Amino acid sequence: MNTNQKINGPRLWDCLMAMGEIGATPKGGVKRLTLTQVDQAGRRRFTEWCEALGLTMRVDAMGNMFARREGRDPTRLPVLFGSHLDSQPTGGKFDGALGVIAGLEVMRSLNDLGIVTEAPLELVNWTDEEGSRFGHSLMGSGVWAGVFGLEEAYGFTDTEGVNVSTALDAIGYKGPHPAAPFPADAYFELHIEQGPILEREGKTIGIVTGAQAQVWYDAVITGQDAHAGTTPPSTRRDALVAAARVIALVDDLMRERGEEGRGTIGQLQVLPNSRNVVPGEVRFSVEFRHPEAAQVQGLTQSFPDQARSLVAQNGCKLELTELFHIPPQPFDTECVELVRQAAARLGYPAREIISGAGHDAVYVARRVPTAMIFTPCKDGLSHNEAESILPEEAEAGCQVLFEAVMARANR
Ligand SMILES: [Zn+2]
């Protein structure tokens, strides 16, 4: 492979900034919620850029967008790459957009260099990766990969009561193509790490080998509402005190597993939430993650009983509902190897890394050989308007994407 074939870093950066203007927030981030008019504006701009390069745009019934560049050999399956253009309500300019815009830069560079790959290429923008509007993350790639049914996803509603089907129609992105897996040769996704590891270790490229296992619960602790002034300790059934013990347990179970452990209670609702009432009910979320399936499996066996016994000691009752339990998703060894080789050839400091977050690539990997490339982000900060990366890091990630895609498409 001729590493003199360079993508255009400044053009990539300008294009990232141009996409960042759509839904720009005063604090320098973006609010480009899925299937809103702002998302529509982003999709239209993306389409114009793709069509200017001679790519053919295809939209499926979930609004997933595929911009195709033909290869020399019409019998070859396409090599896919991309990410998502939707954002959190107070999101950054790079989460998702980096992978899509870098993919666009790959297409632009191929045009500039006059290269026709053997296999066709398709640049993908997946619908609703973030899940912040309809409550289900990885929705477009999830329907595509068969994780959710199309009708099921169409029925998901936002807080205003608008469902996905209506929202797709409203912005004109319920496309004619089936939202179902089609044969593809590979999928590559460049994404910011959204964590601190690469920056801390001075690495430019993360060679992502897979995503970790997760289990999510909804928990309800029931005690008894009582007068704060008249109820002595012996008769209290304080649901919040019981919840506090469970929170400490989740943190202990995480820390017992060292730096790879993850355990979080991110939502908590206290009822009746009055300063002079002993709380009779607390509702909260619990999630655990770990790169090893056995660790998460072990937690699903030990945590519910341990939590129930702590809650019982406080005279309360725990109801625990397992929302989902997903195994670790290893990425394809050959695709991962192409990422590793590209980073090595280019001389970028790199390390293997497991994805701590969910990504479209995790669902796509169930259908198509997949790998991801991570680049650092400042202070590991993401899902935040202050999310920030360096132009040279974006360029490095894009160059690795370019070479991995070229290697796969010409093999
Ligand atoms: Zn993302």
Side-chain angles (χ1 to χ4, degrees):
M1 148 93 43
N2 178 2
T3 49
N4 293 327
Q5 294 169 336
K6 295 288 184 209
I7 62 99
N8 184 331
R11 180 171 62 188
L12 166 65
W13 191 257
D14 288 347
C15 191
L16 276 166
M17 294 305 111
M19 183 52 74
E21 285 167 14
I22 301 174
T25 58
K27 290 186 192 162
V30 294
K31 179 180 182 182
R32 209 161 46 234
L33 284 183
T34 191
L35 306 185
T36 57
Q37 305 231 305
V38 181
D39 182 26
Q40 180 191 46
R43 287 165 179 266
R44 284 184 175 162
R45 175 92 48 104
F46 173 61
T47 303
E48 285 164 19
W49 286 334
C50 289
E51 287 176 349
L53 295 175
L55 308 179
T56 310
M57 186 64 80
R58 203 167 76 239
V59 180
D60 75 16
M62 273 304 295
N64 296 318
M65 302 169 74
F66 303 85
R68 181 175 173 102
R69 186 177 196 270
E70 295 301 338
R72 204 183 312 274
D73 182 350
T75 66
R76 292 273 299 261
L77 298 177
V79 173
L80 314 180
F81 47 98
S83 193
H84 60 95
L85 288 174
D86 71 313
S87 84
Q88 290 283 330
T90 52
K93 287 197 281 285
F94 306 102
D95 173 0
L98 175 64
V100 176
I101 302 302
L104 190 72
E105 176 53 38
V106 167
M107 297 292 201
R108 284 177 170 155
S109 296
L110 289 170
N111 278 16
D112 287 355
L113 295 163
I115 296 172
V116 180
T117 50
E118 290 300 316
L121 306 179
E122 294 194 1
L123 167 57
V124 193
N125 170 34
W126 299 106
T127 293
D128 193 4
E129 191 272 352
E130 298 289 359
S132 48
R133 180 172 174 197
F134 297 101
H136 295 265
S137 58
L138 312 177
M139 193 170 63
S141 56
V143 172
W144 186 84
V147 180
F148 310 114
L150 180 65
E151 292 306 321
E152 180 191 5
Y154 277 175
F156 297 152
T157 52
D158 67 9
T159 53
E160 325 261 83
V162 178
N163 69 28
V164 169
S165 176
T166 307
L168 276 165
D169 283 331
I171 65 160
Y173 274 90
K174 191 188 279 176
H177 296 273
F182 51 80
D185 181 55
Y187 175 68
F188 293 93
E189 182 167 346
L190 169 66
H191 205 283
I192 57 170
E193 180 199 345
Q194 305 181 285
I197 295 170
L198 296 177
E199 183 183 58
R200 196 170 61 201
E201 297 187 3
K203 306 291 193 205
T204 310
I205 296 294
I207 304 155
V208 190
T209 55
Q212 60 191 348
Q214 309 184 24
V215 60
W216 292 21
Y217 298 98
D218 272 345
V220 182
I221 295 181
T222 314
Q224 189 172 46
D225 296 351
H227 194 296
T230 60
T231 314
S234 59
T235 59
R236 282 185 183 227
R237 294 167 55 207
D238 187 327
L240 184 56
V241 172
R245 311 250 195 261
V246 176
I247 294 169
L249 170 67
V250 168
D251 192 61
D252 288 346
L253 290 170
M254 172 183 78
R255 286 172 196 283
E256 279 169 18
R257 284 160 178 80
E259 279 295 277
E260 302 217 297
R262 302 284 186 275
T264 305
I265 290 170
Q267 277 179 334
L268 184 101
Q269 200 183 359
V270 181
L271 298 166
N273 208 24
S274 165
R275 83 164 45 220
N276 50 19
V277 178
V278 176
E281 185 176 307
V282 175
R283 297 172 168 264
F284 55 103
S285 62
V286 180
E287 59 146 87
F288 293 104
R289 306 188 193 202
H290 199 280
E292 291 166 33
Q295 290 289 341
V296 171
Q297 185 64 37
L299 283 163
T300 63
Q301 280 152 13
S302 58
F303 167 70
D305 286 345
Q306 283 177 276
R308 255 186 278 279
S309 107
L310 283 175
V311 169
Q313 284 164 28
N314 287 271
C316 300
K317 200 173 102 274
L318 171 67
E319 203 184 303
L320 207 55
T321 312
E322 190 180 294
L323 296 184
F324 67 84
H325 176 190
I326 52 172
Q329 176 66 59
F331 288 150
D332 179 75
T333 45
E334 283 180 37
C335 291
V336 172
E337 187 55 31
L338 292 178
V339 172
R340 189 195 327 275
Q341 285 171 6
R345 210 164 39 234
L346 293 158
Y348 294 131
R351 63 159 279 165
E352 287 194 356
I353 191 165
I354 294 269
S355 175
H359 290 290
D360 294 309
V362 176
Y363 282 160
V364 177
R366 297 187 182 188
R367 300 290 178 170
V368 175
T370 290
M372 288 190 80
I373 304 155
F374 276 176
T375 52
C377 55
K378 191 170 184 304
D379 301 327
L381 198 64
S382 185
H383 287 187
N384 190 307
E385 291 165 276
E387 181 186 275
S388 158
I389 66 173
L390 298 173
E392 53 269 34
E393 292 165 347
E395 181 174 342
C398 184
Q399 187 68 35
V400 171
L401 176 69
F402 176 84
E403 304 218 354
V405 165
M406 285 270 286
R408 184 75 180 188
N410 289 329
R411 73 183 168 137

